[in-house]
Amino acid sequence: MRTLAVLGSTGSIGTQTLEVLQRNPGLYDVQLLAAGKNWRLLEQQIRLFRPPWAALADEHAARELRARVRDLEVEILAGEEALTDLLASRSFDMAVAGMVGHVGLLPVVAAIQGGANIALANKEVLVMAGHIVTKLCRQKGVHLLTLDSEHSAIFQCLQGHSCKDVQRLILTASGGPFLGKTKAELANITPAQAVKHPNWQMGAKISVDSATLMNKGLEIIEASWLFGIGPENIDVLIHPQSIVHSMVEFSDGAVLAQLGIPSMEVPIQYALSYPGRWPSPDSFFLNWLDLPGLTFSQPDTEAFPCLDLARAAISRGGNAPAVLSTVNDICVEYFLAGKLSFNGIPEVIAHIMSEIPWQENPDLTQILETMERTIQVTRRHIESME
Ligand code: MG
């Protein structure tokens, strides 16, 4: 049995990963479950999977959990440092990276240092530090697999092919819940409306990113690092039905696409079963005769400026994508708390991008400094707007 660490086990990716494992028992031994502060759900997961380690970032929640699981042989780690120490010192066969935003960076780096193959959902890690993470993976000889549905689609289409024969990658985007709205119509969008994604079941942060199209912007940067293809050769098409999960166009004009139902469990399961495949329940199979017409169109970058902001960040390079991703994390936090408007998100991102000094080829320490500084400056800026 291969050993597995699940980072962000109580979130959307974590809980769906554990569901996939429950359907396919005996293939992975879950050894570490790590979460932020949801000790109640983590206790249930510990009782089900019996890992030797569990971790909570929040120390108070960790104390609560420790008291609850005294009857079990599990060591409860408290705080980020205890988690990264364990990840760097134990060699898990695989780590599912299902945390959200910039907080996932250090745990993922530690897991790679420990020698774990990474199944990455936490795309911000590659956006912020793609040059560091991909290099470290090569040095440590670990596989970087992706749980992102579009990138899983591209990875599947590339099997048996060489990236040098690729003309362009085409990332599909559902367009989110506000597809077709004008900028003026987006002015009074509420958090509840933004997190209601039409096709995908996802956590709050990525649902907002999906509504602003920042998710697709981050995905261009993510794809560029994963597949070594320049962002100028990565296009985005709006495909509201979310059946075609992405496509690869080759130099001879042939296009390969991966299709399927819109469920995160499919790419999660593929990463866990790779290079093989596990059988899926009936509900995962496409009913071809019931399919809606599949349509494709250009994204509206005037109503949704985040896509162009992301393209600008990757063409600037250096620490610019780390700034972009971190400001976006903070903006989404304030938007969800009702303290920043929907259209305020791209406005604040554009402003902060011009405020933080640009740095070429930053190392990990400089990325972390950029992150801290961006968080401070963004908070101050949004609070001064109120
Ligand atoms: Mg995606």
Side-chain angles (χ1 to χ4, degrees):
M1 254 207 274
R2 288 184 276 176
T3 59
L4 184 71
V6 183
L7 312 179
S9 72
T10 59
S12 174
I13 292 293
T15 52
Q16 293 183 80
T17 299
L18 297 179
E19 270 167 44
V20 170
L21 292 174
Q22 274 186 286
R23 276 204 308 273
N24 298 278
L27 298 162
Y28 278 93
D29 176 21
V30 176
Q31 294 214 329
L32 166 67
L33 293 169
K37 56 178 189 278
N38 187 351
W39 58 266
R40 285 188 176 85
L41 181 54
L42 187 54
E43 181 190 349
Q44 291 173 25
Q45 294 176 340
I46 292 169
R47 294 196 180 276
L48 212 51
F49 288 92
R50 299 298 172 96
W53 296 282
L56 281 167
D58 184 283
E59 312 217 351
H60 177 76
R63 274 198 298 278
E64 196 74 49
L65 179 64
R66 244 180 232 132
R68 297 283 174 149
V69 294
R70 281 217 188 92
D71 58 314
L72 301 177
E73 282 198 28
V74 55
E75 186 184 338
I76 306 296
L77 310 171
E80 188 185 55
E81 210 175 313
L83 174 65
T84 52
D85 284 351
L86 179 80
L87 287 167
S89 62
R90 306 288 312 192
S91 186
F92 299 106
D93 291 320
M94 187 176 278
V96 168
M99 290 173 165
V100 177
H102 58 276
V103 297
L105 178 58
L106 286 179
V108 168
V109 167
I112 299 168
Q113 275 163 341
N117 295 309
I118 304 293
L120 188 76
N122 192 179
K123 67 193 74 175
E124 295 89 344
V125 168
L126 270 185
V127 173
M128 295 200 304
H131 61 299
I132 296 164
V133 169
T134 50
K135 189 174 164 198
L136 193 58
C137 284
R138 282 194 299 274
Q139 282 170 351
K140 293 284 174 181
V142 310
H143 291 290
L144 183 58
L145 294 161
T146 172
L147 297 187
D148 210 341
S149 60
E150 296 79 359
H151 304 71
S152 175
I154 290 167
F155 181 71
Q156 293 179 58
C157 294
L158 284 172
Q159 296 302 301
H161 296 279
S162 162
C163 283
K164 72 171 179 22
D165 294 327
V166 172
Q167 177 94 0
R168 63 178 177 146
L169 304 179
I170 303 166
L171 294 171
T172 54
S174 69
F178 310 130
L179 179 61
K181 287 202 188 298
T182 63
K183 192 159 191 158
E185 288 169 334
L186 293 171
N188 297 312
I189 291 298
T190 65
Q193 292 171 307
V195 298
K196 248 180 125 175
H197 197 280
N199 303 344
W200 296 92
Q201 277 265 336
M202 302 185 293
K205 196 270 176 177
I206 188 172
S207 295
V208 175
D209 285 349
S210 192
T212 61
L213 287 197
M214 179 55 92
N215 183 49
K216 214 49 56 180
L218 300 178
E219 287 182 354
I220 294 172
I221 305 175
E222 179 189 13
S224 180
W225 286 116
L226 279 172
F227 306 113
I229 287 173
E232 66 283 2
N233 294 321
I234 304 173
D235 285 345
V236 171
L237 282 180
I238 301 292
H239 167 52
Q241 299 82 20
S242 298
I243 298 295
V244 176
H245 296 313
S246 278
M247 303 179 253
V248 178
E249 188 178 75
F250 291 94
S251 50
D252 60 357
V255 179
L256 294 187
Q258 186 258 330
L259 284 70
I261 61 154
S263 165
M264 286 310 297
E265 287 188 37
V266 179
I268 291 171
Q269 176 166 317
Y270 181 69
L272 294 173
S273 69
Y274 176 80
R277 289 182 187 267
W278 298 337
S280 286
D282 288 350
S283 60
F284 280 38
F285 288 78
L286 273 182
N287 188 343
W288 289 93
L289 301 179
D290 279 353
L291 277 189
L294 304 182
T295 60
F296 302 91
S297 59
Q298 286 289 348
D300 175 359
T301 51
E302 204 175 302
F304 302 95
C306 285
L307 204 52
D308 284 345
L309 289 171
R311 283 204 185 271
I314 194 171
S315 64
R316 277 180 87 189
N319 66 345
V323 176
L324 172 95
S325 181
T326 310
V327 190
N328 181 57
D329 283 358
I330 306 302
C331 286
V332 172
E333 179 195 316
Y334 277 84
F335 169 72
L336 286 170
K339 293 175 178 171
L340 181 67
S341 70
F342 188 80
N343 288 338
I345 297 173
E347 284 164 23
V348 172
I349 294 170
H351 175 76
I352 304 294
M353 294 286 302
S354 64
E355 288 278 292
I356 304 286
W358 186 75
Q359 205 166 31
E360 195 173 8
N361 196 23
D363 61 20
L364 187 60
T365 310
Q366 290 167 322
I367 292 282
L368 294 173
E369 281 165 8
T370 294
M371 199 172 94
E372 287 306 322
R373 177 142 192 214
T374 304
I375 291 170
Q376 277 175 19
V377 173
T378 308
R379 286 195 192 288
R380 216 181 302 137
H381 177 68
I382 297 175
E383 275 157 29
S384 73
M385 289 163 62
E386 287 179 284

